[in-house]
Amino acid sequence: MNLARPSEAILRALWGLALLALVAAAVAWTIEGRLGAPSVVALLLAVLLGGIAIYLAPEQVRAWIGGRPFAFGANAVLASAAFIGIMVLLNILAVRHAQRWDVTAERRFSLSPQTLQILSALPQPVEALAFFSQNFQFARENAEDLLDQYRHYSNGRFSYRFIDPVAQASLARQWGVTQDGTILFVMGDRRQQVTLYNEQEFTSALVKLIRATQPKLYFLTGHGERDIQEEGDNGYAQVRRALEREGYGVEPLNLAVTATVPADAAAVILVGPTRPLLDREVEALKGYLNAGGRMLIALDPALQDVGAGVTESINRVLADWGIAFRDDVIVDPVSSMFTDPLTPVAGRYGFSPITEKLRGIATAFPAARSIDDSRVPSDRFRIVRLVETSNQSWGETDLNALRQGLSQGRLPGPGGKPMGPQALAVAVEQVNGKGRLVLFGDVDFAANQNVGANLPFANLDLFVNAVNWLSESEVLIGLRQSPSATVRALSATPAQVRTVFMLTVVAMPLLVLAAGAMVWWQRR
């Protein structure tokens, strides 16, 4: 029995419904991520409707297939399929061989060199367990972005996973997590807890995992030294926090009360004394240093608040090492900050692990003295000038003339004094022993006001790197902030503004209109 040929409207409806069912099948498959029941039903419906349309009007289908529209349509479909296939292949390659480029001027999406170094030196795999419920979704996004960077740069040594502490409460209790938004960094049987989501906290957790024990740093007190708890401009609170992030325990030490240096001292640090050491303190520090101890000493020039006898008492501690602080003030008219020749800006570093990562980054020393390293016995000690001034600098020893000149707005000339480079900082170590020593001819360079993140100097890195070298923690030596570029505001004169306006608003549209007119004229 021959069926009557259906109308064009019915055929269009069948083909339209078949296409709609096919789209529904694709959407269901995309949402579920698999070929489930909804997508199968929609696909069968599309096939059924298309089959009915073909059965009812086979000659129309044959005519359509043999016509030019079908050929053009087939070419378009093939081209689209080829394009989609290429894009899928490129995405697969991008996922398997991912690369990252941070094109922001401040490098805000880059990890610091120190973090990259620590990630590459992880002794064991580290897993971060991030406990975030649905209430912490915004914080989770920030944490996940950073965790993904750590995973990407760890060469497979760092991984992370998220756990909902509400849906998986038993697992949260098993790990001892009671606060939503907690991240546990786990390495073997050791763990560190983090509740702030920034690079400093994450890297600090990794450092503490790497360290088997917490080394102790003792800051000498009792002689007017800089206060490691002081948050003001002249305090050393930022240095203390930086050292604690490196995994150190930081404690004060008063040798007037305690006769000897504690046995667990990784290093003893003396910064900015304004009163001389007592004789028994000199002997205690001297004995500690000669027996293989580690010390860092920073001393301001006598031009500042340094009392009589301070330099002499410290040089007595250093006598057996052949090194000493000079009673002078460095004047560097060539390389200084803000045209102040008493604030040398140094970029000349010796070959030492302490300064290896500082190449190309300056350090600034507000009012510094030089260090005499000319009498160090080379058969007993190795010495490196960590930081030097320019060749046109000198050490001014006539402090009274310098004070008078400063009060009158002028500086005395070198006057035949030995010219630079002058040693601003030195590192010394025993050839046949474990003793290590770092000296800085300035204290203010590491004070709070000079180690801020917004300053373009590596003062904090220099100080902390020196401590890491003293305690034989060279793996932690590096830069603690990503290098940043200066963002400059663009300003334009009225003439430049008018030029930009004429080019973009007037000239470019006129060029388009002219091109269109030429095409019309040629085809006319």
Side-chain angles (χ1 to χ4, degrees):
M1 180 177 68
N2 293 327
L3 294 176
R5 188 174 185 276
S7 65
E8 291 291 333
I10 293 176
L11 289 175
R12 289 196 191 96
L14 287 171
W15 286 114
L17 290 173
L19 181 60
L20 185 62
L22 190 63
V23 171
V27 171
W29 175 69
T30 303
I31 293 175
E32 292 187 354
R34 62 186 181 89
L35 200 63
S39 54
V40 171
V41 171
L43 186 60
L44 291 176
L45 182 59
V47 173
L48 178 62
L49 291 171
I52 293 173
I54 294 172
Y55 177 77
L56 292 176
E59 70 284 353
Q60 189 180 30
V61 173
R62 284 195 296 270
W64 179 64
I65 292 175
R68 293 181 64 187
F70 178 80
F72 288 138
N75 289 335
V77 169
L78 289 174
S80 300
F83 175 76
I84 293 173
I86 292 172
M87 295 305 296
V88 169
L89 180 60
L90 290 176
N91 276 278
I92 292 173
L93 292 174
V95 170
R96 292 184 178 179
H97 307 280
Q99 295 293 329
R100 293 169 179 256
W101 293 277
D102 185 356
V103 296
T104 59
E106 297 85 2
R107 311 294 295 170
R108 65 181 61 184
F109 300 114
S110 297
L111 298 179
S112 69
Q114 188 201 33
T115 296
L116 297 177
Q117 181 174 328
I118 291 171
L119 286 172
S120 66
L122 289 176
Q124 299 179 45
V126 175
E127 183 181 27
L129 305 178
F131 293 85
F132 286 77
S133 71
Q134 296 298 322
N135 298 326
F136 270 67
Q137 285 305 303
F138 179 75
R140 169 178 171 152
E141 293 177 2
N142 294 334
E144 188 169 9
D145 287 343
L146 188 55
L147 288 170
D148 193 57
Q149 290 190 60
Y150 277 67
R151 178 200 58 78
H152 177 77
Y153 290 109
S154 67
N155 295 323
R157 307 289 284 179
F158 182 90
S159 61
Y160 67 91
R161 58 188 169 108
F162 281 86
I163 300 170
D164 189 331
V166 176
Q168 298 174 277
S170 59
L171 188 57
R173 287 194 298 270
Q174 175 184 336
W175 286 99
V177 173
T178 59
Q179 180 180 347
D180 201 352
T182 297
I183 301 177
L184 285 183
F185 288 79
V186 182
M187 185 178 71
D189 58 352
R190 307 183 66 194
R191 65 183 69 174
Q192 285 293 326
Q193 180 174 305
V194 172
T195 55
L196 296 176
Y197 321 122
N198 57 58
E199 184 181 351
Q200 284 188 344
E201 293 296 325
F202 284 13
T203 300
S204 177
L206 292 179
V207 169
K208 292 173 183 176
L209 286 176
I210 292 173
R211 290 188 182 278
T213 58
Q214 185 186 52
K216 294 288 186 66
L217 300 175
Y218 289 93
F219 278 74
L220 282 178
T221 62
H223 316 92
E225 295 90 346
R226 298 298 175 95
D227 188 352
I228 58 175
Q229 304 296 334
E230 172 60 44
E231 298 288 350
D233 287 348
N234 296 321
Y236 259 54
Q238 290 207 49
V239 164
R240 173 183 55 79
R241 284 193 291 269
L243 293 172
E244 289 173 343
R245 286 195 296 269
E246 305 279 308
Y248 293 101
V250 181
E251 298 183 11
L253 173 64
N254 191 333
L255 286 177
V257 177
T258 304
T260 59
V261 175
D264 62 350
V268 174
I269 301 174
L270 174 59
V271 287
T274 58
R275 292 188 293 275
L277 306 180
L278 300 177
D279 289 343
R280 66 172 180 270
E281 293 175 313
V282 169
E283 294 304 317
L285 292 175
K286 189 174 181 179
Y288 164 74
L289 190 59
N290 291 340
R294 285 87 187 278
M295 284 192 67
L296 184 153
I297 304 176
L299 186 61
D300 274 330
L303 186 68
Q304 297 179 260
D305 186 19
V306 176
V310 173
T311 304
E312 185 271 337
S313 67
I314 292 178
N315 284 342
R316 285 168 56 200
V317 175
L318 307 174
D320 293 340
W321 290 54
I323 198 164
F325 287 98
R326 290 193 180 104
D327 266 325
D328 63 5
V329 178
I330 291 177
V331 181
D332 193 342
V334 173
S335 180
S336 54
M337 187 169 61
F338 304 134
T339 66
D340 178 9
L342 298 188
T343 303
V345 174
R348 300 174 56 156
Y349 302 116
F351 292 98
S352 166
I354 298 173
T355 54
E356 180 183 359
K357 302 294 173 46
L358 304 185
R359 306 292 175 188
I361 307 176
T363 45
F365 298 83
R369 67 166 75 206
S370 65
I371 298 168
D372 182 5
D373 57 358
S374 60
R375 293 177 299 217
V376 177
S378 59
D379 59 329
R380 295 172 50 205
F381 302 99
R382 287 185 292 268
I383 183 168
V384 175
R385 283 192 171 189
L386 297 176
V387 187
E388 289 184 325
T389 58
S390 74
N391 294 332
Q392 301 302 314
S393 63
W394 71 90
E396 182 58 57
T397 55
D398 191 345
L399 301 185
N400 290 328
L402 182 61
R403 291 189 183 95
Q404 292 177 3
L406 289 175
S407 64
Q408 299 171 5
R410 60 176 179 81
L411 284 171
K417 299 180 180 67
M419 302 300 290
Q422 307 288 332
L424 280 166
V426 299
V428 193
E429 61 180 327
Q430 291 176 327
V431 173
N432 298 315
K434 296 183 177 180
R436 290 185 172 184
L437 175 67
V438 174
L439 303 181
F440 291 103
D442 182 34
V443 178
D444 290 321
F445 86 99
N448 294 333
Q449 62 182 337
N450 295 316
V451 296
N454 59 330
L455 296 175
F457 303 115
N459 291 10
L460 182 63
D461 291 311
L462 177 62
F463 189 98
V464 179
N465 285 353
V467 174
N468 284 330
W469 178 77
L470 287 172
S471 64
E472 296 185 355
S473 301
E474 281 87 351
V475 69
L476 301 181
I477 290 176
L479 295 176
R480 284 145 195 87
Q481 296 174 0
S482 298
S484 60
T486 302
V487 178
R488 297 181 180 179
L490 295 179
S491 59
T493 64
Q496 292 171 332
V497 172
R498 288 193 297 270
T499 301
V500 172
F501 175 82
M502 293 298 295
L503 289 174
T504 58
V505 180
V506 178
M508 292 179 67
L510 286 177
L511 286 174
V512 174
L513 289 175
M518 290 178 62
V519 172
W520 172 81
W521 180 262
Q522 291 176 353
R523 293 182 177 181
R524 181 175 58 89

